[in-house]
Amino acid sequence: MLSLQHISKYYQVGGNKNFVVNDISLDVDEGEFVSIMGPSGSGKSTLLNIIGMLDEPNDGYHYFVNQPVHQLKEKQRAALYKQYIGFVFQAYHLIDELTVYENIETPLIYQDVKGSERKAMVADMLDRFQIVGKKDLFPAQLSGGQQQLVGIARALIAKPKLLLADEPTGNLNSKQGEEIMELFRKLNKEDGVTIIQVTHSEKNAEYGSRIINLLDGRVESSRKF
Amino acid sequence: MIRNYLKTAWRNLVQNKTTSFISMAGLAVGICSFLLLATYLTNELRYDRFNTNAGRISRLTFSYKSADDKEVNTTALTPTAPVPVFKQQLADIEDGVRVVNYSNMRAAVVQFGDKLFKEKKMLVADASFFKIFTFKFLSGNPATALANSTSIVLTASTAEKYFGDEDAMGKILKVDQKNSMIVTGVIEDVPEYSQIKFDMMGSYAMMPRSLNLAWSSSNDYSYILLKPGANREAVAKQMTDYINKDRPASGGKMWFGLEPLTRVHLYSTAGKGLEPSGNIKYVYILGFVAIVLLVLACVNFLNLVTARSAERAKEIGVRKVMGAMRGQLFVQFIAEAGIITLFSLIAGVLLLSALLPVFSNFTGQQLSLQTWNPEWLILALVTLFVVVTLLAGTYPSLYLSAFKPIVTLKGGSSMQAGGNMLRKSLVVFQFVVSVFFIISTIIAGNQLRYIQSLNTGINRDQVLVLDLGGMGYNQIESFKGEIGQQTGVLGSTASYDSPVNVGGGYSINTAEGKNADFNLSVTAIPVEKSFTKTLGIKLIAGNDLDLGDEQQVMDTSADKRRYSFILNEAAVKGMGWKPEQAIGKKIGLNGRMGTIKAVAKDFNFASLHEEITPIVMFPEYDWFGKLLVKTSGKNTANTIAAIASKWHKFYPNSPFEYHFLDQEFDAMYKTDQRTGGILTAFTVVTILISCLGLFGLAVFSTRQRIKEIGIRKVLGAGVASIAGLISFDFIKLVLIAIVISSPLAWFAMNKWLQDFAFRVSIQWWVFVLAGGMAALIAFLTVGYQSIKAALSNPVKSLRSE
C-alpha cells in the first residue's frame, strides 16, 4: 500500500544537519496493523506525519497506492490524502465549537458529499460507535474516552484505507485505552482498514501485526507476528 | 458548506463574547461615524442641485480694483443693469434674474389683520425667478407669480403662519406698512440645501431702483441662465469686454465673473452671499476623516482577529487534517468577517439613525436618512459591507488559512513571524491618526478660544442689538432718551449696520494733497456721535463726533452740508498719512465732502479670517438699521423688559426683537466652530477605536510571550518589572507614532490657521500634551493585560503538553 525509500528529515542547525528521521525505508501492505515504538525524540511522530503527508521529508521517495507522493503537487497530494487517509490524535483535536455530530460530519463537507448522504453516513457512524445519544453534545461535555471515540469516528467517516494514530491512548486511562485498542483490532480485522499507530505502550503495540522500534531517527528493529 | 461555516462563525462569536463585542463595537462605531460624515457631506454636496437647470445657472460676480487699491475686490453683489442689459445683448444668455435680500438690514414687518410678524427672510426677485430656479408650487403659476410689483409668493409654512388652514391665494399682506402685497403663489418650503432661502418672495418691481439701469451701487445678487452648450468663461469675457468698452473705469479695472450655481456654496470666494457658504476645504477634511475612521475600525478588527489566532490555530489544523483546502478555509474566515461586518453594519445603521438628530443639531444642518437618495443609500451600504469585509477580513483569512497543521497541532506556538511587524505597524498607524487628531483638536480649540477672547477693539460685552424699523432722527433720539433712563442701560447708539460685520463698499475719491484721480476703496458705515464711546472703540488722534457734527449733516441744502469723518489707522495708512497729520484733512467719500475729525485705533469690523482693512465712520441719518444698547450686565432680564415696554410704546406696530452682539460675533465662526466640534467628537472615536486595537495587540502579544514571562518569573522577576517590560513595548509604539504624527499635524494645522488673519501660534506644549495623553491612554489600555500576564502562574505557562 505504501513504500518509503531512504526517507530523511533533518533541521539545519548551524552547519550541521540534525536528523529527526534518518534514511528510513519501510513498506506497509494493505491490511497490516503496524505499531511504531521508540523513546521521546526518536522520530516516531515525524515519520507518521510524513506517511500522512502532513510533513514533507527532505530526502527520499514516498509511494502511496502506487503514486509517487514526493513528485505530486500540493493539490494532488491533498486529493490523495482526502480519499485514503484518516488521522487520530493523542489530544483528540475535536473542534470545540462543533457538536459531536458536526465534528464527525466535517470531513464529508470537505469532500463535497451531498447533505442527505452525509446525514446517512454520520447516522451510521453514530450508531456503530453507540454515541447516538451524544450527538448534540459539545466536546467539552464528553469524557476523554468518549472524545477519542468521536475522534476515531471522524477519522473513519470518509472510509479511509489507512488510519494513522498518534498515541491514540496517551491521554486515556488503561480501561479506556483498552477499549480503543479493541476497536482498532476490530477495524483492522473486520473492515480491513490498514492501521499505523505510534505508541509508548508495549501492551498496546502488541495489538499490531508488526512492531517497528525507532531510535535516533533510524529503524532499530522490526518484528512481525 | 456555507451553513457549516456560518454555524462555526456564529458559535465562535457567542463563545468569545468579549472579543466579539469589542471587534463589532469598534467596527460599528467606525461604520456609524463614516455614515454620519457621509450624510453630512452628501448634504453639502447636494446644495442647489435640486434645480433642474442647476448645470446652466451661474451667479454673477463683480470685481474691481481702483488705481490706489492694493487688492482686487470681488463681490457677489452687482448693480441693477447687468442682468437686463446682458440678456438683451448677449446671445448665449437665455435668462437672468436679480435677487435682493429685502430683509437684509432690517426685518420686514408684515401684517395680516391682527397678525404681525418680523420677517427676516424676505427676498425680492425678477419675474423670471421661478422659471430659472425649481421651486414646487402648491398653488399659483410659476410663470406669472412675480409679474406685478404687488405680487408675493409664500412658502407653505409662512402661509400657514398668517392664514392657518385658509387658502392664501389672493390674500393681501401689508409689508412695512406701506406696500400691500397680493399672494400669488404658495410653494413648498425651501429646502435647507438651497443657497437661496426665503420665507416670502416679492417682486423686484417693488424696489424703487428697478426703474433705472445703473452700473454702480451694487446691491443685487444676479443669476444668469445660459443657453445649453454656451461657454461660461466666454460669456463672462463678453460681459467684461462690454463694460470696459462702454464704461471705461477711471484708472481702475473691473470685470465680471460667472460662478457655476453648484459651486457657489462650497467654492465661492466672492464674499458675502445670500446665505453663509460652506467650505470645500472642510468637505475634504471631513471626507478624509470619514475614510480614516473606517480604515481605523477595519485595522482594529483585523488586529483583534489575528490576536485571537492562537485560539483558532488548533481548529485550523484539525480542519486541514480533515481535508480542508486553504481556499475553503479562506472562504470560511471571510464568511466570519462577513457576519461580523453585517452585524456591525446593522448596529452602525441603528446607531446612525439614533445619532443623526443629535448630529443635525450639532452641525446646524437638517440631516436624516432622507438626505440620501434611497438607491444610493442601499448601494452605499452594500459597498460598505463588501469593502469592510474584504478590508478587515482578507489579511486575517490569508494569515489564518496559511497555518501549518503540524505546527498548530503539536500544541506549540502557532505564531508565525512576519505578522508581528505588520500588526505593530498597524497599531503605530492607529496612533499616528489618534495623535494627529488630538493635536489638531487642541490647536483648533486654542484658535477658537482665541477668537472668543481676542480684543477686537470693540467691547461687545452685554451689548443688545435692536432692529430699527425705519425710525427718523427725532424718533430715535427720543427713544434713546427714554431707554437711557432705565436702570442697567449704560448707553446706546444707532448705526447703519452691526459693528462686528460691516458691509458697504465706498471709496475715498478726493483728498487734500492727492491727485485728481485718487481712489481708495474703503468700507464705510453711517454712525452717530455716541458710536465709538458706546462700543469702546479707542481714538488715537482727534476728537469724537459731537452734536455739531450731527447737525451739520442734517442741513437740507446739499452744498452747505459738511461731514466729519473718523478713519481707522489702516485707512489713514492707506492715504499715506500719519494719524496726527490726518486730522483736519479734507476728503470726499463718494461725494460726501468733509474733514477728518478723528483717527480710531484699528478694530475688527469683519471676520477674523480677514485682516483689518480701511474703514470710515461718518454721521448720516437716513440709514440706521440697528440700535446698539450697552447694558450693565446686572439684572439683564429686567433691563430688557424695560426696553421692550418702551419699544411697544414707540412702535405699537412692530414686534420687539433683540439679540446680543456677542451672538452675532459667534455666528460668524459657526462653520469653524462646527468643524471644531466635529473634530473633537471624532477624536474621541478615533482614540476609542485605537485603544481597542492596542488592547487586541496586547492580548495577542502577552499570550505570545507567556513562556518568556514564565521563565523570567522562575528566574525571580517581580510583577512590576514584568508589567513594565510589556507596557514599555507598547509605549514604544506610541512614541514612534507621536514622532511621525507631530510634523504632519503641525503642517496640517498651520495650513488651517493660515485661513485666519488673526491666529494663535502653534506652541510646543501642544505636542507634549497630545503625546502625553496618547501615551497615558495607551498605558491604561495595556496596563491591565501586562499586570495580568505578570501575575500568571509560571507553572501553567511552562508546561508544554
Side-chain angles (χ1 to χ4, degrees):
Chain A
M1 157 162 257
L2 75 94
S3 169
L4 302 182
Q5 289 164 17
H6 306 291
I7 290 287
S8 291
K9 171 91 185 168
Y10 53 81
Y11 297 97
Q12 204 83 33
V13 180
N16 300 326
K17 287 174 178 174
N18 200 344
F19 282 91
V20 188
V21 172
N22 195 348
D23 193 24
I24 288 184
S25 296
L26 175 69
D27 288 281
V28 177
D29 294 328
E30 204 164 338
E32 269 196 281
F33 186 165
V34 180
S35 298
I36 302 175
M37 292 192 71
S40 286
S42 60
K44 333 180 272 298
S45 291
T46 308
L47 183 62
L48 193 74
N49 287 336
I50 289 173
I51 293 170
M53 300 175 209
L54 294 181
D55 213 345
E56 281 178 62
N58 297 92
D59 287 317
Y61 306 99
H62 177 192
Y63 297 92
F64 185 76
V65 288
N66 297 325
Q67 303 247 29
V69 177
H70 53 275
Q71 285 173 1
L72 294 181
K73 294 209 181 81
E74 172 96 38
K75 260 203 168 142
Q76 298 166 304
R77 210 181 308 158
L80 200 62
Y81 169 91
K82 267 200 244 183
Q83 195 186 345
Y84 288 101
I85 298 175
F87 238 106
V88 176
F89 302 94
Q90 174 180 5
Y92 332 125
H93 286 330
L94 300 178
I95 297 176
D96 297 330
E97 286 78 25
L98 298 182
T99 61
V100 165
Y101 182 96
E102 289 156 355
N103 261 292
I104 297 174
E105 185 191 25
T106 307
L108 298 178
I109 290 173
Y110 290 124
Q111 296 189 13
D112 295 326
V113 177
K114 278 204 200 81
S116 53
E117 217 172 309
R118 285 207 304 261
K119 229 175 187 170
M121 289 167 82
V122 176
D124 241 20
M125 199 52 81
L126 289 168
D127 224 20
R128 190 166 148 200
F129 284 73
Q130 294 169 354
I131 44 177
V132 180
K134 307 225 164 8
K135 74 177 167 63
D136 291 326
L137 298 182
F138 287 94
Q141 297 166 296
L142 301 176
S143 74
Q146 289 167 334
Q147 286 191 48
Q148 192 59 297
L149 221 50
V150 176
I152 295 167
R154 187 180 62 180
L156 293 174
I157 186 78
K159 303 201 174 15
K161 294 275 184 297
L162 175 65
L163 185 66
L164 301 174
D166 193 351
E167 300 197 40
T169 61
N171 286 8
L172 302 178
N173 63 36
S174 57
K175 186 172 168 289
Q176 290 170 328
E178 216 165 287
E179 281 170 16
I180 297 294
M181 279 302 120
E182 283 302 330
L183 179 64
F184 272 22
R185 173 180 281 166
K186 207 172 127 205
L187 283 171
N188 180 246
K189 288 264 150 47
E190 293 176 12
D191 302 301
V193 178
T194 312
I195 297 176
I196 303 177
Q197 69 163 344
V198 163
T199 180
H200 272 301
S201 145
E202 193 76 38
K203 193 173 145 231
N204 287 346
E206 281 164 5
Y207 281 87
S209 55
R210 171 153 57 134
I211 297 179
I212 297 170
N213 271 296
L214 294 188
L215 186 65
D216 296 336
R218 291 172 188 279
V219 177
E220 193 196 36
S221 67
S222 172
R223 51 201 165 108
K224 278 196 181 181
F225 300 102
Chain B
M1 185 160 345
I2 288 292
R3 230 186 58 195
N4 186 279
Y5 292 163
L6 296 183
K7 218 184 297 179
T8 333
W10 174 247
R11 287 190 190 143
N12 252 308
L13 288 185
V14 174
Q15 212 157 54
N16 302 286
K17 286 193 190 71
T18 324
T19 35
S20 308
F21 179 76
I22 290 178
S23 37
M24 274 200 255
L27 210 49
V29 169
I31 288 172
C32 173
S33 311
F34 178 82
L35 287 173
L36 274 180
L37 286 172
T39 312
Y40 178 76
L41 296 181
T42 305
N43 188 57
E44 284 288 286
L45 294 172
R46 71 173 171 164
Y47 248 79
D48 299 313
R49 288 181 200 271
F50 65 91
N51 288 298
T52 323
N53 295 327
R56 289 195 286 137
I57 305 174
S58 300
R59 190 175 75 171
L60 193 62
T61 62
F62 183 52
S63 305
Y64 56 94
K65 183 177 181 295
S66 63
D68 298 281
D69 282 345
K70 285 205 191 85
E71 282 168 23
V72 177
N73 300 287
T74 299
T75 150
L77 286 166
T78 49
T80 55
V83 166
V85 171
F86 290 146
K87 197 167 138 183
Q88 214 173 35
Q89 298 281 331
L90 304 181
D92 277 341
I93 296 179
E94 185 175 313
D95 212 339
V97 60
R98 294 165 293 182
V99 182
V100 181
N101 189 351
Y102 183 87
S103 46
N104 183 28
M105 282 309 144
R106 53 172 176 256
V109 176
V110 179
Q111 192 175 10
F112 176 74
D114 57 349
K115 284 189 179 145
L116 184 69
F117 296 104
K118 277 197 169 178
E119 294 295 346
K120 292 194 178 117
K121 288 215 177 291
M122 174 169 168
L123 304 181
V124 297
D126 282 317
S128 53
F129 183 83
F130 290 110
K131 275 182 253 167
I132 294 174
F133 294 99
T134 313
F135 291 97
K136 198 173 169 215
F137 270 71
L138 300 173
S139 45
N141 179 358
T144 57
L146 293 177
N148 300 317
S149 64
T150 54
S151 306
I152 194 159
V153 173
L154 307 182
T155 61
S157 46
T158 309
E160 206 206 316
K161 188 165 82 176
Y162 286 95
F163 314 116
D165 294 337
E166 284 178 55
D167 183 15
M169 294 295 285
K171 292 263 182 354
I172 294 174
L173 289 175
K174 199 133 193 138
V175 177
D176 284 342
Q177 288 163 341
K178 49 182 195 268
N179 301 309
S180 291
M181 315 279 282
I182 304 165
V183 178
T184 50
V186 177
I187 59 167
E188 271 184 0
D189 282 359
V190 176
E192 195 60 31
Y193 45 95
S194 169
Q195 67 176 275
I196 303 173
K197 294 192 186 79
F198 55 92
D199 293 327
M200 41 180 59
M201 169 73 78
S203 165
Y204 192 78
M206 79 181 276
M207 306 297 285
R209 67 166 174 271
S210 65
L211 298 173
N212 42 20
L213 296 183
W215 289 94
S216 58
S217 285
S218 300
N219 289 299
D220 303 345
Y221 294 96
S222 298
Y223 293 87
I224 302 286
L225 178 66
L226 294 179
K227 289 201 171 131
N231 183 321
R232 189 174 279 122
E233 307 284 325
V235 173
K237 183 155 188 318
Q238 287 168 2
M239 292 175 168
T240 304
D241 289 347
Y242 181 89
I243 188 172
N244 283 325
K245 192 179 74 191
D246 288 9
R247 294 183 39 88
S250 54
K253 281 183 199 160
M254 53 178 102
W255 56 95
F256 283 107
L258 287 174
E259 294 175 310
L261 181 74
T262 49
R263 286 175 71 88
V264 170
H265 176 63
L266 291 172
Y267 294 89
S268 180
T269 50
K272 205 169 157 190
L274 277 168
E275 290 293 324
S277 57
N279 188 337
I280 189 66
K281 236 184 230 174
Y282 288 146
V283 170
Y284 285 133
I285 292 175
L286 294 178
F288 178 71
V289 169
I291 290 168
V292 163
L293 278 172
L294 190 65
V295 170
L296 271 190
C298 289
V299 160
N300 196 40
F301 176 72
L302 190 153
N303 252 340
L304 285 167
V305 172
T306 46
R308 284 198 44 230
S309 60
E311 286 147 52
R312 303 304 297 275
K314 192 188 105 182
E315 180 198 335
I316 296 159
V318 172
R319 284 188 186 273
K320 282 202 158 180
V321 168
M322 285 189 293
M325 303 294 290
R326 195 172 166 189
Q328 289 168 314
L329 287 176
F330 179 81
V331 172
Q332 178 187 343
F333 290 116
I334 280 285
E336 274 185 34
I339 289 181
I340 294 188
T341 307
L342 187 65
F343 282 126
S344 308
L345 203 61
I346 292 169
V349 172
L350 289 178
L351 209 55
L352 173 75
S353 49
L355 286 180
L356 264 176
V358 183
F359 193 64
S360 299
N361 225 334
F362 190 58
T363 56
Q365 305 280 325
Q366 281 181 343
L367 303 176
S368 71
L369 286 177
Q370 275 79 47
T371 302
W372 294 79
N373 182 330
E375 292 103 63
W376 278 99
L377 182 62
I378 289 167
L379 187 71
L381 291 179
V382 170
T383 314
L384 206 55
F385 173 73
V386 173
V387 169
V388 172
T389 304
L390 291 180
L391 215 59
T394 306
Y395 174 71
S397 303
L398 283 174
Y399 175 75
L400 293 174
S401 62
F403 280 175
K404 290 242 179 337
I406 287 274
V407 185
T408 59
L409 292 180
K410 271 190 176 154
S413 154
S414 59
M415 316 313 169
Q416 281 149 18
N420 253 342
M421 197 56 215
L422 180 88
R423 268 188 300 278
K424 283 187 177 168
S425 314
L426 290 176
V427 166
V428 169
F429 167 70
Q430 287 187 317
F431 270 84
V432 166
V433 176
S434 301
V435 172
F436 181 93
F437 274 123
I438 297 175
I439 294 174
S440 307
T441 309
I442 296 176
I443 293 176
N446 280 348
Q447 173 65 20
L448 294 176
R449 264 192 306 279
Y450 174 76
I451 287 178
Q452 298 282 323
S453 64
L454 180 75
N455 183 359
T456 58
I458 294 178
N459 190 348
R460 299 186 304 274
D461 207 28
Q462 303 295 341
V463 174
L464 279 174
V465 183
L466 312 184
D467 265 341
L468 288 177
M471 303 189 210
Y473 176 70
N474 295 329
Q475 223 174 348
I476 294 175
E477 282 301 306
S478 43
F479 181 65
K480 275 167 61 186
E482 287 268 354
I483 61 169
Q485 290 171 11
Q486 308 303 316
T487 43
V489 174
L490 301 181
S492 60
T493 187
S495 79
Y496 169 76
D497 202 352
S498 154
V500 298
N501 198 4
V502 183
Y506 291 73
S507 61
I508 298 178
N509 35 26
T510 56
E512 202 179 320
K514 302 280 173 192
N515 292 338
D517 63 351
F518 181 83
N519 195 322
L520 178 74
S521 299
V522 296
T523 306
I525 176 172
V527 300
E528 55 170 2
K529 61 180 189 297
S530 45
F531 186 76
T532 55
K533 207 179 91 206
T534 308
L535 292 171
I537 295 169
K538 291 209 169 55
L539 299 180
I540 52 174
N543 297 311
D544 202 355
L545 302 176
D546 55 29
L547 193 62
D549 299 314
E550 286 186 357
Q551 277 158 353
Q552 264 188 342
V553 300
M554 305 290 282
D555 202 312
T556 41
S557 89
D559 36 313
K560 277 197 205 151
R561 211 177 287 161
R562 279 289 169 270
Y563 283 82
S564 293
F565 297 109
I566 302 179
L567 275 62
N568 70 347
E569 288 173 276
V572 172
K573 211 172 151 198
M575 303 292 296
W577 295 327
K578 294 229 154 28
E580 293 74 26
Q581 293 175 333
I583 306 300
K585 286 261 174 25
K586 291 191 167 55
I587 59 168
L589 180 77
N590 293 53
R592 295 171 187 82
M593 303 306 295
T595 50
I596 299 174
K597 196 174 181 204
V599 177
K601 199 167 166 8
D602 276 342
F603 62 95
N604 294 91
F605 58 87
S607 160
L608 292 174
H609 283 288
E610 287 144 38
E611 293 287 357
I612 296 176
T613 53
I615 186 169
V616 177
M617 290 163 276
F618 62 98
E620 186 163 84
Y621 275 85
D622 347 344
W623 291 111
F624 283 156
K626 300 278 160 68
L627 183 68
L628 308 163
V629 183
K630 174 84 176 169
T631 67
S632 66
K634 283 180 213 124
N635 228 334
T636 310
N638 282 353
T639 311
I640 292 172
I643 296 171
S645 82
K646 294 289 164 205
W647 177 275
H648 290 306
K649 214 178 90 196
F650 270 78
Y651 296 102
N653 286 332
S654 179
F656 176 72
E657 279 175 18
Y658 71 95
H659 60 264
F660 284 97
L661 198 53
D662 258 335
Q663 294 171 328
E664 212 174 299
F665 180 78
D666 290 344
M668 290 197 292
Y669 309 101
K670 227 165 128 186
T671 325
D672 301 315
Q673 246 140 9
R674 189 187 296 162
T675 314
I678 293 173
L679 213 60
T680 311
F682 289 108
T683 301
V684 174
V685 174
T686 320
I687 294 173
L688 189 81
I689 294 178
S690 304
C691 284
L692 289 177
L694 189 66
F695 182 78
L697 189 76
V699 172
F700 177 82
S701 155
T702 42
R703 203 166 286 155
Q704 203 175 16
R705 294 177 71 177
I706 200 107
K707 203 165 172 185
E708 177 200 336
I709 294 165
I711 294 168
R712 283 180 188 273
K713 282 197 83 172
V714 169
L715 296 178
V719 171
S721 83
I722 289 178
L725 180 82
I726 296 171
S727 304
F728 180 68
D729 249 20
F730 295 102
I731 305 300
K732 213 165 54 191
L733 298 182
V734 175
L735 290 179
I736 294 172
I738 294 170
V739 170
I740 296 175
S741 199
S742 296
L744 293 177
W746 180 84
F747 180 77
M749 289 319 282
N750 208 26
K751 208 131 200 194
W752 181 72
L753 286 174
Q754 297 299 321
D755 263 6
F756 292 88
F758 295 84
R759 55 180 179 258
V760 291
S761 54
I762 300 176
Q763 306 280 340
W764 59 270
W765 60 261
V766 170
F767 300 95
V768 176
L769 179 66
M773 272 170 71
L776 180 70
I777 292 167
F779 182 74
L780 292 177
T781 314
V782 177
Y784 168 72
Q785 283 297 320
S786 310
I787 292 168
K788 200 171 125 189
L791 287 173
S792 65
N793 185 351
V795 174
K796 261 189 192 162
S797 57
L798 291 179
R799 196 172 51 199
S800 64
E801 214 148 298

